[in-house]
Amino acid sequence: LFKVYLFVLRERKKRCPIFMEPQNLTGVSEFFLMGLSDDLELQPLLFGLFLSMYLVTVLGNLLIILAVSSDPHLYTPMYFFLSNLSLADIGFSTTTIPKMLLNIQTHSRSITYADCLTQVSFFFLFGCLDNLLLAVMAYDRFVAICHPLHYPVIMNPCLCGFLVLVSFFSSLLDSQIHCLMVSQLTFCTSVEIHHFFCDAPQLLHLACSDTSINTILIYFMGAIFGGIPLSGILCSYTRIVSSILRVPSTGGKYKAFSTCGSHLSVVCLFYGTGLGVYLSSSVSPYPRKGAVASVMYTVVTPMLNPFIYSLRNKDIKRALWGIISRTD
């Protein structure tokens, strides 16, 4: 009977990853980021593509920040929040793309355990900050359109600074909770992450320990830091649309809607791509397809935000042309 028990135990170890030998994560450990493709011929193309997108993202968002800070006419709450959003977009892209480019260039897929935790922490910090700032900007547009006479009093500099600080420290709390959660996991000898960055759900799949509480925590934190801001955005735009429809003239409706058109475009892009990644990763059995889909909200969205705000905004375009003329 004892021999039969040993035989069954050996077979279970082969089939079930929970019986795999855990690694000691208190020492030097590493994960392997499998990236977007195993095709060696595609690597130079991916390197050039993502390097170009990263440079456009950083340059575009830096120009937005420079335009807002250099033009006194843009010292308003809307542009103050926009410059903070641009800063968060730079951080969001910098968290993932440079490491991916380094791995492609050095033909290495490894990332140390400490770097992986750092990436998880900053990814949730800037991702959550993006989310909260979009909600704050929706509230700003709601006050500007629905309570225009009280706008300077309500959206005073103290409140604007307070809202940004609350958004930052809430995002910091969210990132530290996720980082602490990942640091408590025990991983098996198979540490291949089918992604181009350390994605928390992917790390949960690699864990040998019980992750049911961690999964519940991820959904709970997502409901708080994702669901509540989204609800605030929907509520704000419901009131905004209701207020715009009461404007008698067509020109007045267009003018009122144009003040929030850029923000609404960014909101749709941010949440639309995020929802698309969630649905694609849930439906598709191949984890790498989820990695390809996540390029949209981790790389493409931060790159497009400056174009959306600059192309549809005369004040930003005027400030940018002023910067160009001064450099000449």
Side-chain angles (χ1 to χ4, degrees):
L1 289 175
F2 181 69
K3 290 181 178 180
V4 172
Y5 171 75
L6 289 178
F7 174 76
V8 172
L9 186 61
R10 279 197 299 267
E11 291 299 313
R12 290 183 67 187
K13 283 184 178 180
K14 293 178 182 177
R15 292 194 297 265
C16 184
I18 200 170
F19 286 94
M20 295 175 71
E21 181 185 353
Q23 286 188 347
N24 180 14
L25 295 179
T26 58
V28 178
S29 295
E30 61 182 8
F31 297 97
F32 294 97
L33 300 174
M34 304 311 292
L36 299 175
S37 174
D38 294 325
D39 191 348
L40 294 178
E41 295 181 356
L42 278 179
Q43 301 309 308
L45 177 62
L46 289 174
F47 181 83
L49 177 63
F50 280 87
L51 178 60
S52 303
M53 295 171 73
Y54 178 65
L55 292 177
V56 169
T57 300
V58 173
L59 180 61
N61 284 287
L62 282 178
L63 284 175
I64 293 290
I65 296 172
L66 185 60
V68 171
S69 59
S70 63
D71 191 344
H73 295 96
L74 302 183
Y75 292 172
T76 61
M78 181 177 72
Y79 295 112
F80 172 69
F81 296 137
L82 176 60
S83 60
N84 281 277
L85 181 68
S86 296
L87 191 61
D89 281 338
I90 293 174
F92 195 44
S93 297
T94 304
T95 301
T96 57
I97 301 180
K99 179 59 181 175
M100 177 189 180
L101 296 175
L102 179 64
N103 284 358
I104 293 176
Q105 185 67 21
T106 58
H107 304 288
S108 171
R109 292 179 172 180
S110 65
I111 181 171
T112 65
Y113 176 71
D115 288 343
C116 189
L117 281 183
T118 303
Q119 201 173 59
V120 169
S121 179
F122 279 105
F123 180 82
F124 280 99
L125 171 64
F126 291 115
C128 184
L129 185 57
D130 256 356
N131 187 29
L132 293 175
L133 285 175
L134 287 175
V136 169
M137 293 173 76
Y139 174 71
D140 172 71
R141 293 298 84 206
F142 159 71
V143 177
I145 293 174
C146 299
H147 305 283
L149 298 179
H150 299 93
Y151 180 75
V153 178
I154 297 175
M155 301 304 295
N156 58 76
C158 291
L159 179 62
C160 294
F162 175 74
L163 290 174
V164 171
L165 285 176
V166 169
S167 299
F168 174 77
F169 285 111
S170 299
S171 303
L172 184 62
L173 175 64
D174 180 46
S175 71
Q176 293 307 302
I177 290 175
H178 280 90
C179 184
L180 180 63
M181 176 192 69
V182 172
S183 67
Q184 300 302 310
L185 297 175
T186 303
F187 295 95
C188 304
T189 52
S190 176
V191 286
E192 293 183 351
I193 302 174
H194 295 279
H195 220 298
F196 62 93
F197 65 92
C198 284
D199 187 35
Q202 290 282 334
L203 292 171
L204 289 182
H205 289 310
L206 294 177
C208 294
S209 53
D210 181 27
T211 60
S212 56
I213 296 178
N214 304 81
T215 304
I216 294 173
L217 183 62
I218 282 183
Y219 282 111
F220 178 72
M221 298 299 292
I224 293 178
F225 292 102
I228 293 178
L230 180 59
S231 300
I233 292 173
L234 293 176
C235 182
S236 296
Y237 273 102
T238 301
R239 299 286 299 275
I240 288 172
V241 171
S242 176
S243 179
I244 290 176
L245 291 177
R246 289 198 297 267
V247 176
S249 64
T250 306
K253 291 179 180 179
Y254 176 79
K255 184 178 180 181
F257 184 76
S258 63
T259 61
C260 56
S262 298
H263 176 260
L264 187 59
S265 301
V266 172
V267 167
C268 294
L269 184 64
F270 182 82
Y271 285 101
T273 53
L275 181 62
V277 170
Y278 174 76
L279 292 177
S280 64
S281 60
S282 300
V283 174
S284 175
Y286 304 103
R288 184 161 283 175
K289 288 188 176 181
V292 174
S294 66
V295 171
M296 286 300 298
Y297 78 93
T298 56
V299 182
V300 177
T301 300
M303 181 186 69
L304 292 181
N305 285 353
F307 292 100
I308 294 173
Y309 276 105
S310 60
L311 293 177
R312 295 177 57 90
N313 194 300
K314 294 180 181 179
D315 295 329
I316 292 289
K317 286 192 285 188
R318 186 183 66 246
L320 290 174
W321 280 114
I323 295 172
I324 295 172
S325 61
R326 282 197 296 269
T327 56
D328 292 338

